[in-house]
Amino acid sequence: MSMNNTPNVFLDPNANRFQVNIINEDHDNNETAQEDVGSDPPHYEETSFTDETHNRLRISYRPGKRELYDNFRQNGEKTEASLHPYDTHSKMYYLQTFGHNTMDPVPKIDYYRNTGSVSGNKLNRPSLLEIHEQLAKNIAVSTGSVERVANGESSAGDETAASKEEENKTGFVKFGWVKGVLVRCMLNIWGVMLFIRLSWIVGQAGIGLGVIIILLATMVTSITGLSTSAIATNGFVRGGGAYYLISRSLGPEFGGSIGLIFAFANAVAVAMYVVGFAETVVELLKESDTLMVDESNDIRIIGTITVVCLLGISVAGMEWEAKAQVILLIVLLVAIVNFFIGTVIPTNTEKKARGFFNYQASIFAENFGPDFRSGEGFFSVFAIFFPAATGILAGANISGDLKDPQSAIPQGTMLAILITTIAYIAVAICAASCVVRDATGNVNDTIVPGMSCNGSSACGLGYDFSRCASQPCDYGLMNNFQVMSMVSGFGPLITAGIFSATLSSALASLVSAPKVFQALCKDNVYKGLEFFAKGYGKNNEPIRGYVLTFAIAMAFILIAELNTIAPIISNFFLASYALINFSCFHASYAKSPGWRPAFRYYNMWVSLFGALLCCGVMFVINWWAALITYAIELFLYIYVTYKKPEVNWGSSTQALYFVNALDSALALTTVEDHVKNFRPQCLALTGAPMVRPALLDITHAFTKNNGLCICCEVYTGPRKLCVKEMNSGMEKKQAWLTKNKRKAFYAAVAADSFRDGVKSLLQASGLGRMKPNTLVIGFKKDWRSAPATQVENYVGIIHDAFDFELGVIIIRISQGFDISQVLQVQEELEKLEQERLALEATIKENDFEEGKGGICGFFKKASTLNISKHETKESTINTIQSMHVGEFNQRLLEASTQFKKKQGKGTIDIWWLFDDGGLTILIPYILTIRKKWKNCKLRIFTGGKVNRIEEEKLVMASLLSKFRIKFADINIICDINIKPNKESWKFFEEMIEPYRLHESCKDMPTAEKLKRETPWKITDAELEAFKEKSYRQVRLNELLQEHSRAANLIVLSLPVARKGAVSDYLYMAWLEILSKNLPPVLMVRGNHKNVLTFYS
C-alpha cells in the first residue's frame, strides 16, 4: 500500500510525473500486500504545485485499508504520529520518488524560501550528507509528521514562526495593478502643472518645442520605468519602493543614502502639494473677500487642517486611502474631459476678448513656433515642466501592499506614463490651437473697417491685441494661468481638478514616505532609527513614520518658503531615478546568473543613458540644488560605508567585484614573471589564524599591500567530522582576519595526515599567477617530546616545499606561537561572566517577586540567597583558578602581540651566509619600509677570510648598493668554520643522545634490527658524515649570541638537509641549536631563483 504526498507544482497543475510515496514494509503483511498489488493496481494522485494552502500529506488507499491510516490523519490536519523513514523496532518506512526508494525530494518552491517568509513555510531538503552517506537503519529520525519526512525537515521554530505570521497576516489588504499602481501613478504624475502651467509652457515654447519638452521629460521617466520594471521582476519585491529596488541591486551604501533622502523628499513634497491646494483655496477666498487673517496665515491654517485630514485617511488604513485615491482620480478625469468639451463649445464675446476662439488653423500655425520671453529659454521652461512628469514611483513605493508586485509595477507604471503623456500632449495642443498668446480681455478691442492690424491670427478673427506688445496684458496663454478654467465647459470643475491633483499627490507622498522610511529602518542601515521600524495592524502600518512625516510636512507648511526647497526636492527624486537606471545597468553589466528579470523590454545601455540623462536634468533644473543633492548623497554613502551594516543582499556590486577580480586574475595570467615584480607570496601554516597571531603578524608585515598571504589549516581524522568542522569554521576565521584588518585569505583542507594536507596546499593554493612562492611555518618547539611521526611530517613538509620549488621561512620566538590555552581561558572567563550576570538578574527578579510573599517569602528568599552564595563561591573559585592560569600564560600572551607593536630603535641583523637568490635580504628590506619597523637599521653579517676582510666588505657594500638596499653596517665573520667550545658541543651531544642509534657499539644483527625498528634514529655513520656541518650550526649559535643578542630581529640563512642523507632528528637538532636563546629568528631559504636585480 502507498501514501502519495503531493508537493505543489506551479508549472503544470495536471502534471503526474512526480510521485512521492511512503512505503510501508510490514513483514507480517507481506503476503497480503503482494496479493493486493496483484489484484488491485495502486491509485496515484496527480501531483500539483498550484495549491500551496494544502501543504499536507495526501493519501491514496485501496478499499478496506483506510483504517490503517487513521493514526496519521485526523480531520484533514497534520498529526504528530511517530513515523520514521527507518525504524527497525516497528515498521519500516522510506520514501519513494519516481517509483524508487530514495530520500531525494522532488523540486518544490518551499525549499527556496527565505526563513520567516510570509508567503509560505520554508522547508529544508535533506542535506547532501544525508543522501550521500550510508543510511543507518537503526537510527530513528526525529518524530514528526509524514510530510516533514517527505518534503524535507523543517525546524519547529521556523514553522511555528511562519504559521503565526501567516495567522497575523490574514486580512491583509492587497492591491492589484490598477488600484495599487496605475491609479496612484496617474494621480501623482498629473499635478497642478496640468491645470495652471501647461498653457504657459506651450505659449513660451510653442506647440512644436512644447511637445518635445513633454516627450523629453517622458523619455526620462519611461527609461526609468523600464529599469524599474526590470528590477521589480527580478525576484520577490517587498515594501520600500525605490529604496528596496536600489538597495537590493546596488547594496546598502547606495540604497541607504538614497532611501533617506527619498523618504525626506516625499515628506516635504506633502507640504508642497498641500500649500498648492491651500493657495488655490485662498485665491477663492480672496475673490469672495472672505479671508480669515491674511494670505500667508490663511495658507498655514488651511494647510494644517488639510494635512491633519490626510493623516487621518492614511492612518485609517491603506484600504481607505485607496478609496480616496479612486474618488480623486474620478474628479480629475472629469476635469480633464470637461476641458476637452469646452474647446468645442462655441465661444462667446467675453472669451474671445480673453483670447479663446475655438479651434483655428491660424492660431495653431501662429502658436506652433517658440516665443520665449522674460529671459526664458528651452531648458528653463523644461525645468519648470519636468516636475509634472515625476511621480512614476508612487506604485512601487507601496510594493509591500501589492498582490503581485512583479507584474503590477511594470504594467501599472508604464501604462500610467503612456496615458499621462498622451493627456499632457493633447491638452497642450488643444490649448495652443484655441487660445492666442496675448489678449487684452477688453470686448471693445475689435477690428473696425479701415483700421490697420499687425497681421496676427487675432486680427484675422476680428480682434486687435496689438497693444500687448507695448504694455502687459492679463489674458492669453502667456499671461493667464487660468486658461483651462476659461476654456472648459464648467470652470468650477477645473478648480475641483486642481484640488484633486494636489490632494491626491499629497496623499500619495504621505503614504510613500513612511513606507519607504519603515523599510529603511527595518534593514537597520542607520542604527539609531530602529524605533520607526515597528508596524501596527493587519497591514503593518508605519504609524510612527506617519507621525514623523506629518511633523516634517507641518514644519515646512508653517515655514511657507517652498520656492527654495522645491528644486532640491525635484533633484532628490531625480537622484532616485538616476540610481534606479544605474542599478539596472549595473546588474546587467555584472552578468550575474542571478539577474534574470521576467520583464525583457529593457537594455543596459539605455538604462545607463537614462541615468546620465537624469544627472543632466538635475543640473538643468537647478545646478546648486544638484550639487547639494550630490553632497548629501555622498555624505550618507560614506557614512553607511564606514558603518558597514551587517547585511548581505546579493547586490550587483558584489557580483561586479567577482567579475572584476576574475578578469584581473585572467589578465594577470598573460603577464610574464619578471624579477623586478617579484613579491613574497606566502602560504603560512598558522592553523586557525587566531591561534597563532604572532606568526600571522610577522608574515603580514612583509606581505601587506605587497603580496599574497594565505593562512592555512589542515584537519586530520575522520573525513566526515573534519569536513563538517572545516566548513563550519571557514567564514568565522575569514571574518576574524577581516575584523583584525589582516589582508590575508584563509584556506583549509581535510587530509589523512598533516603532511598530505600541506602537500595539497603547496600544489593547489592560489589562482593563476597569484600562487604562493614561499612557505612560512613556525618552529616546532616540542619536537623532542612529540611522536616521531609528527617530527617526520614537519621535516617532510620542508622537503616537500623545496621539491615544489618554494622558498621556506621558519620563524622562532622564545615563547612559541600557539596561544590556544590563553584563548581557552578567555573563553571560560567570558562564560563565567555571562553566568554571573544571569545569576544576578535571576536573584533580583526573585527578590522582587518573593518580597510580596510575607514570612514564607522571607524564608524562600533566605534559601535562595544561600544557594546563590554557594554558587557564587564556586564560580569565584573557578574564576580565581582561571585567572591563575591566565597570569601563568601572561608572557605567552605578550609574546603573541610583539609584532603588532611598533618596534623601537634597534637593528635587524641579517646573517646572509648562503646565496639563495636574494630572499634572505629582500624580506628584512620589506620590513624596514613598514611603519612598525622603520626605526630598525639593517646590519649585514656574512662569511669571509681573515686576510680579505676589507675586500669582502667592499664587495658586499657594492652588491647591496646596486640592489639599492640601505644598510647600517657590514660585518665579515671569519671564524665560522672553527670548532665550537666544549660546553656548546656537549650540550648538542646531550640533546641528540636520546635519538642516537649507537649501532657501532652493538653486533651486526642487533644493529640491523634496531635500524629496521627505529629508522628515524641518528646513526653513528650519519653523525660522523655531517660532523663538520653540526659544528657549524653550534658555532653559528655562539656567534649569534655574541653579535646579535640585542637585535630586534635576526634573519638567518636556513641550512638545507639532503633528502635521505640527514635524518629528521639531526636536522631538528641543527635548527634547535642554531636558533636557541635568541631574539625572534627568521630562518630563510629562497628557491635559488633571483628575486633581486640591479638592472633597470
Side-chain angles (χ1 to χ4, degrees), residues 942-1096:
T942 188
K945 297 179 181 178
V946 179
N947 55 355
R948 297 189 71 245
I949 291 178
E950 292 304 320
E951 291 86 339
E952 298 280 2
K953 274 190 178 182
L954 288 173
V955 170
M956 180 58 68
S958 174
L959 179 62
L960 292 173
S961 64
K962 286 182 178 179
F963 288 147
R964 302 168 304 283
I965 292 176
K966 295 180 181 180
F967 56 90
D969 192 16
I970 295 176
N971 294 277
I972 306 299
I973 307 299
C974 306
D975 51 353
I976 292 177
N977 290 323
I978 67 173
K979 285 186 179 182
N981 62 48
K982 291 181 180 179
E983 288 80 8
S984 300
W985 182 248
K986 183 180 179 183
F987 177 83
F988 179 77
E989 287 185 322
E990 290 175 353
M991 182 171 59
I992 64 173
E993 181 60 32
Y995 315 108
R996 290 187 61 181
L997 192 62
H998 290 294
E999 78 277 8
S1000 58
C1001 303
K1002 299 176 178 64
D1003 55 75
M1004 187 66 70
T1006 306
E1008 290 298 326
K1009 183 181 177 183
L1010 286 173
K1011 281 183 183 179
R1012 288 194 302 272
E1013 291 176 352
T1014 55
W1016 46 267
K1017 286 201 170 183
I1018 305 169
T1019 63
D1020 294 340
E1022 177 193 354
L1023 192 60
E1024 187 61 33
F1026 294 102
K1027 196 167 189 178
E1028 290 297 324
K1029 202 164 185 177
S1030 299
Y1031 280 157
R1032 188 189 305 150
Q1033 313 311 323
V1034 179
R1035 176 60 185 159
L1036 274 172
N1037 183 260
E1038 293 177 349
L1039 294 169
L1040 287 163
Q1041 297 283 353
E1042 180 183 345
H1043 295 282
S1044 300
R1045 186 67 187 243
N1048 293 51
L1049 183 70
I1050 298 172
V1051 181
L1052 174 67
S1053 291
L1054 174 70
V1056 178
R1058 291 192 179 275
K1059 284 198 300 183
V1062 179
S1063 63
D1064 299 336
Y1065 277 93
L1066 180 59
Y1067 186 61
M1068 290 303 300
W1070 287 353
L1071 299 182
E1072 173 74 33
I1073 197 65
L1074 187 61
S1075 57
K1076 188 173 179 60
N1077 297 329
L1078 290 171
V1081 178
L1082 270 67
M1083 292 177 276
V1084 181
R1085 175 67 68 157
N1087 62 359
H1088 286 242
K1089 293 179 182 177
N1090 288 347
V1091 300
L1092 297 172
T1093 182
F1094 50 80
Y1095 294 107
S1096 59

Side-chain angles (χ1 to χ4, degrees), residues 392-418:
I392 62 171
L393 297 179
N397 287 339
I398 63 159
S399 52
D401 296 297
L402 301 175
K403 289 178 183 175
D404 184 8
Q406 289 182 287
S407 63
I409 291 174
Q411 279 182 278
T413 304
M414 298 311 297
L415 188 57
I417 292 172
L418 178 64

Side-chain angles (χ1 to χ4, degrees), residues 276-470:
F277 168 76
E279 284 178 349
T280 308
V281 175
V282 168
E283 284 295 323
L284 295 175
L285 294 176
K286 191 177 177 182
E287 288 177 8
S288 60
D289 197 22
T290 54
L291 288 176
M292 291 178 283
V293 184
D294 54 52
E295 287 189 37
S296 297
N297 286 314
D298 280 12
I299 289 172
R300 293 187 178 100
I301 293 168
I302 294 169
T304 302
I305 295 169
T306 305
V307 171
V308 171
C309 294
L310 294 176
L311 179 67
I313 295 172
S314 301
V315 172
M318 290 294 294
E319 195 171 4
W320 284 95
E321 187 266 349
K323 290 176 181 177
Q325 293 279 27
V326 171
I327 294 170
L328 292 172
L329 179 63
I330 293 171
V331 173
L332 194 59
L333 289 173
V334 169
I336 294 172
V337 171
N338 174 51
F339 166 76
F340 289 119
I341 292 173
T343 59
V344 297
I345 295 175
T347 184
N348 55 35
T349 305
E350 183 182 355
K351 287 185 177 182
K352 284 182 179 180
R354 294 183 179 184
F356 175 50
F357 295 93
N358 293 115
Y359 292 105
Q360 301 291 337
S362 59
I363 295 177
F364 179 88
E366 184 180 71
N367 289 341
F368 191 83
D371 183 17
F372 294 112
R373 302 177 190 175
S374 305
E376 299 291 349
F378 177 82
F379 288 109
S380 63
V381 173
F382 173 77
I384 292 170
F385 172 75
F386 185 80
T390 60
I392 62 171
L393 297 179
N397 287 339
I398 63 159
S399 52
D401 296 297
L402 301 175
K403 289 178 183 175
D404 184 8
Q406 289 182 287
S407 63
I409 291 174
Q411 279 182 278
T413 304
M414 298 311 297
L415 188 57
I417 292 172
L418 178 64
I419 293 172
T420 53
T421 302
I422 292 172
Y424 275 131
I425 293 174
V427 169
I429 293 174
C430 289
S433 301
C434 298
V435 184
V436 296
R437 281 193 169 102
D438 297 293
T440 60
N442 189 344
V443 294
N444 296 320
D445 286 341
T446 55
I447 301 292
V448 295
M451 187 176 176
S452 63
C453 193
N454 59 5
S456 67
S457 59
C459 288
L461 295 170
Y463 280 82
D464 179 20
F465 298 141
S466 57
R467 64 188 174 94
C468 290
S470 57

Side-chain angles (χ1 to χ4, degrees), residues 162-203:
S163 63
K164 281 184 180 178
E165 197 147 3
E166 281 293 327
E167 289 171 9
N168 293 337
K169 299 303 176 187
T170 52
F172 243 19
V173 177
K174 293 286 187 179
F175 302 114
W177 70 274
V178 175
K179 192 187 270 190
V181 182
L182 179 65
V183 170
R184 291 173 186 281
C185 288
M186 288 171 62
L187 284 170
N188 228 25
I189 294 171
W190 279 332
V192 183
M193 202 70 68
L194 174 66
F195 296 102
I196 62 176
R197 284 291 186 275
L198 191 57
S199 57
W200 177 86
I201 288 167
V202 77

Side-chain angles (χ1 to χ4, degrees), residues 625-874:
L627 291 177
I628 290 174
T629 304
Y630 284 129
I632 294 172
E633 190 175 332
L634 181 63
F635 170 77
L636 293 173
Y637 178 88
I638 293 170
Y639 173 82
V640 177
T641 304
Y642 176 75
K643 289 295 182 181
K644 292 181 181 176
E646 295 178 1
V647 294
N648 181 14
W649 294 324
S651 66
S652 60
T653 307
Q654 294 171 312
L656 197 61
Y657 281 153
F658 181 85
V659 171
N660 290 339
L662 186 61
D663 289 343
S664 298
L666 288 170
L668 192 61
T669 58
T670 63
V671 179
E672 294 185 11
D673 287 333
H674 193 280
V675 63
K676 285 197 295 184
N677 295 322
F678 175 86
R679 57 197 67 221
Q681 304 198 101
C682 298
L683 191 148
L685 297 183
T686 58
M690 64 283 290
V691 171
R692 293 177 179 82
L695 182 62
L696 173 60
D697 290 338
I698 188 63
T699 308
H700 190 252
F702 52 79
T703 60
K704 180 183 178 183
N705 300 328
N706 192 49
L708 180 69
C709 180
I710 305 177
C711 300
C712 297
E713 185 171 10
V714 178
Y715 289 86
T716 57
R719 178 173 294 182
K720 189 192 300 186
L721 297 176
C722 288
V723 170
K724 185 177 180 182
E725 186 180 355
M726 179 176 70
N727 292 340
S728 63
M730 194 78 73
E731 289 186 9
K732 177 185 175 184
K733 288 161 187 175
Q734 185 63 56
W736 184 91
L737 290 170
T738 305
K739 182 182 177 183
N740 288 273
K741 298 180 180 178
R742 296 291 176 264
K743 294 186 177 181
F745 298 97
Y746 172 77
V749 293
D752 294 331
S753 70
F754 182 67
R755 184 177 180 181
D756 288 342
V758 177
K759 271 186 187 177
S760 301
L761 290 166
L762 289 172
Q763 295 176 86
S765 294
L767 186 67
R769 295 284 183 189
M770 293 186 296
K771 292 188 67 117
N773 53 31
T774 307
L775 174 68
V776 180
I777 55 175
F779 178 71
K780 188 169 180 59
K781 193 178 177 184
D782 64 342
W783 65 275
R784 281 186 276 183
S785 59
T789 52
Q790 288 188 13
V791 177
E792 182 185 358
N793 281 336
Y794 182 83
V795 177
I797 287 166
I798 299 171
H799 288 308
D800 293 336
F802 288 143
D803 287 342
F804 298 133
E805 295 189 339
L806 272 73
V808 175
I809 301 176
I810 301 176
I811 306 175
R812 181 174 185 179
I813 59 176
S814 58
Q815 298 296 323
F817 291 107
D818 192 344
I819 62 165
S820 53
Q821 291 182 352
V822 176
L823 296 176
Q824 189 176 355
V825 169
Q826 288 178 347
E827 189 176 346
E828 288 177 2
L829 288 172
E830 287 175 5
K831 284 182 180 177
L832 286 169
E833 181 64 17
Q834 290 174 359
E835 289 175 4
R836 186 184 65 79
L837 293 173
L839 184 63
E840 287 181 357
T842 304
I843 291 171
K844 286 179 182 178
E845 186 179 345
N846 289 340
D847 287 349
F848 178 77
E849 293 293 332
E850 292 168 3
K852 304 174 183 178
I855 296 174
C856 295
F858 173 78
F859 286 111
K860 286 181 182 177
K861 182 177 178 181
S863 62
T864 305
L865 286 173
N866 287 333
I867 294 169
S868 64
K869 282 179 183 178
H870 179 67
E871 290 177 352
T872 307
K873 185 177 178 181
E874 287 183 354

Side-chain angles (χ1 to χ4, degrees), residues 243 246-247 251-263 520 525-526 576 579 629 632-640:
Y243 159 72
I246 294 170
S247 63
E253 296 83 6
F254 281 107
S257 58
I258 204 66
L260 200 59
I261 64 174
F262 186 72
L520 178 69
V525 175
Y526 299 99
S576 304
L579 276 181
T629 304
I632 294 172
E633 190 175 332
L634 181 63
F635 170 77
L636 293 173
Y637 178 88
I638 293 170
Y639 173 82
V640 177

